[in-house]
Amino acid sequence: MLQPVDKILEKKDLQLDEIKTLLQLKPPSNAILFKKALDVKSKAVGRKVYLRGLIEYSNHCVKNCYYCGIRCNNKLPQRYHLTDIEVIEAAKYAYKNRFASIVIQSGEDSSKRFISTIERLLAEINKLTNGELHITLSLGEQSIDTYRRWYDAGAHRYLLRIETSNPDLYKKLHPRDKLHDYNHRLDTLKTLREVGYQVGTGVMIGLPFQTFDDLAEDLLFFRKIDIDMVGMGPYIEHENTPLFEYRAQLLPLKERLEISLNMVAVLRIMMKNINIAATTAMQTIDPQGRERALLAGANVMMPNLTPAKYRDSYLLYKDKPGVADDAVGSKNAMEQSILLAGETIGYGEWGDSKHYELRIKN
Ligand code: 5AD
Ligand code: SF4
């Protein structure tokens, strides 16, 4: 017999079946889960939201993930990379507006030129901001040497989503070759930690072939690898990708969003002091999606600082919001939404994951 939800929420360590029960809660009954998660968040990390200005540096990518709109076999997006000046301007904007932190994200590229450009930009941004602007990278799988070079140049956090912790599902979402190897991705997460980064990972939610078991295992996986930060969100189909063929199997978008919010809430209860992002994909489904994530336990937001003219080329999935916004529009909208949710903004604060701070002390 299934246990009542309030009993599960009182437990110290959640087990697979209990996690599955929580993940399957539908509105309005998941309100009790969100309430508990918000309570845990308030006590463990407070109700401050930390900002990371997102710079989508380039949509060139050597990979061919079956779900992604900028995969290399999609010939439709115009490929771009920002100029050094554009990156520096975006970083300066973040610094001036006291975001305290930026994320440089891009498709995967391991060319010498790319590696040294990033290294140079890191050094320049650090110099310009007296090392006060924290820099997170989200540039895919790279060698340990590259990770070290970027770390030494001043990047201290790295995001690399595992996408799914189930190796069989991973194979269905990617070409079966060396570039898209589950074990390599897992090893890379370990490498990042070894180098010294504060490490973030995440998954997509509502993928074709994905089960509630998979999702519950994803949360247990985050706990097992002792992750510092998590960004996860609904899978949103893109018509120019191979996975689009399976769209008839997908849950309605609204359900994918509810499950994503349940994932955030359960994770907050399981890993009280990590950083959890309210992701853009949630906002794609519901304009209030990110605020709802904050009230379900998230504590990080990533306003987009990519210059407006490039935004429609960085469409990983359809209807990605903010394509018509400029940095100011995006900042104002986000600020309002955070305050409306009853949270405050951690201006000028790095907002390192408390989990990470404790981990390096020990
Ligand atoms: N729907 C939702 N998220 C996606 N991503 C890529 N394609 C999609 C999609 N169709 C996510 C992946 C990747 C991150 C940068 O964007 O999780 O790691
Ligand atoms: Fe490239 Fe990342 Fe898209 Fe995969 S998900 S194709 S690695 S940008």
Side-chain angles (χ1 to χ4, degrees), residues 67-68 105 161 163 204 234-238 281 316-317:
Y67 41 84
C68 178
Q105 189 175 69
R161 287 188 175 180
E163 314 296 1
M204 284 175 287
Y235 162 69
I236 300 171
E237 63 276 27
H238 187 298
L316 306 175
Y317 44 82

Side-chain angles (χ1 to χ4, degrees), residues 218-250:
D218 287 340
L219 298 180
L220 290 167
F221 168 84
F222 299 148
R223 192 163 69 183
K224 189 172 104 196
I225 65 165
D226 195 33
I227 203 73
D228 302 310
M229 319 179 275
V230 170
M232 54 190 171
Y235 162 69
I236 300 171
E237 63 276 27
H238 187 298
E239 61 184 345
N240 304 117
T241 60
L243 227 53
F244 196 64
E245 190 187 318
Y246 301 99
R247 62 193 177 283
Q249 304 184 9
L250 299 172

Side-chain angles (χ1 to χ4, degrees), residues 23-174:
L23 293 182
Q24 289 176 80
L25 289 174
K26 294 197 167 161
S29 42
N30 52 1
I32 173 178
L33 168 65
F34 298 158
K35 189 165 171 285
K36 170 78 182 184
L38 185 58
D39 188 45
V40 170
K41 173 175 105 162
S42 310
K43 290 190 181 122
V45 294
R47 289 194 63 180
K48 252 189 210 164
V49 181
Y50 300 106
L51 303 181
R52 286 82 176 85
L54 176 64
I55 303 173
E56 293 158 333
Y57 173 66
S58 156
N59 67 352
H60 289 273
C61 188
V62 294
K63 283 198 170 173
N64 221 347
C65 308
Y66 292 158
Y67 41 84
C68 178
I70 63 169
R71 57 200 294 274
C72 67
N73 277 8
N74 185 6
K75 301 298 173 212
L76 294 174
Q78 226 189 46
R79 301 289 166 172
Y80 74 89
H81 66 80
L82 302 192
T83 62
D84 285 12
I85 294 174
E86 285 167 329
V87 177
I88 300 293
E89 283 306 312
K92 274 197 201 155
Y93 177 89
Y95 185 54
K96 278 199 200 123
N97 285 281
R98 306 184 56 235
F99 280 17
S101 181
I102 54 171
V103 179
I104 303 179
Q105 189 175 69
S106 145
E108 219 171 283
D109 179 350
S110 304
S111 64
K112 278 192 182 151
R113 189 185 163 145
F114 179 80
I115 294 167
S116 54
T117 303
I118 297 294
E119 190 177 34
R120 191 178 62 242
L121 285 168
L122 287 168
E124 227 164 294
I125 295 169
N126 264 316
K127 205 168 110 199
L128 270 171
T129 63
N130 307 313
E132 284 171 28
L133 191 68
H134 235 205
I135 310 173
T136 305
L137 298 178
S138 175
L139 307 172
E141 291 167 55
Q142 306 283 347
S143 70
I144 188 163
D145 286 346
T146 301
Y147 286 148
R148 284 211 180 104
R149 274 174 67 181
W150 290 343
Y151 188 87
D152 292 341
H156 293 115
R157 301 187 191 124
Y158 205 101
L159 308 174
L160 184 74
R161 287 188 175 180
I162 191 73
E163 314 296 1
T164 170
S165 64
N166 176 341
D168 293 326
L169 179 55
Y170 194 92
K171 280 190 198 138
K172 295 191 178 112
L173 307 176
H174 300 94

Side-chain angles (χ1 to χ4, degrees), residues 262-312:
N262 291 352
M263 286 280 283
V264 166
V266 178
L267 181 62
R268 174 58 71 199
I269 294 167
M270 290 169 67
M271 298 187 78
K272 299 181 176 21
N273 58 3
I274 64 170
N275 277 352
I276 304 178
T279 55
T280 314
M282 298 182 180
Q283 190 194 358
T284 307
I285 296 181
D286 174 353
Q288 299 296 311
R290 289 189 306 181
E291 295 75 340
R292 294 192 61 205
L294 295 178
L295 296 176
N299 68 332
V300 166
M301 267 213 205
M302 296 161 69
N304 198 339
L305 300 184
T306 311
K309 65 176 177 187
Y310 299 114
R311 296 224 186 150
D312 62 352

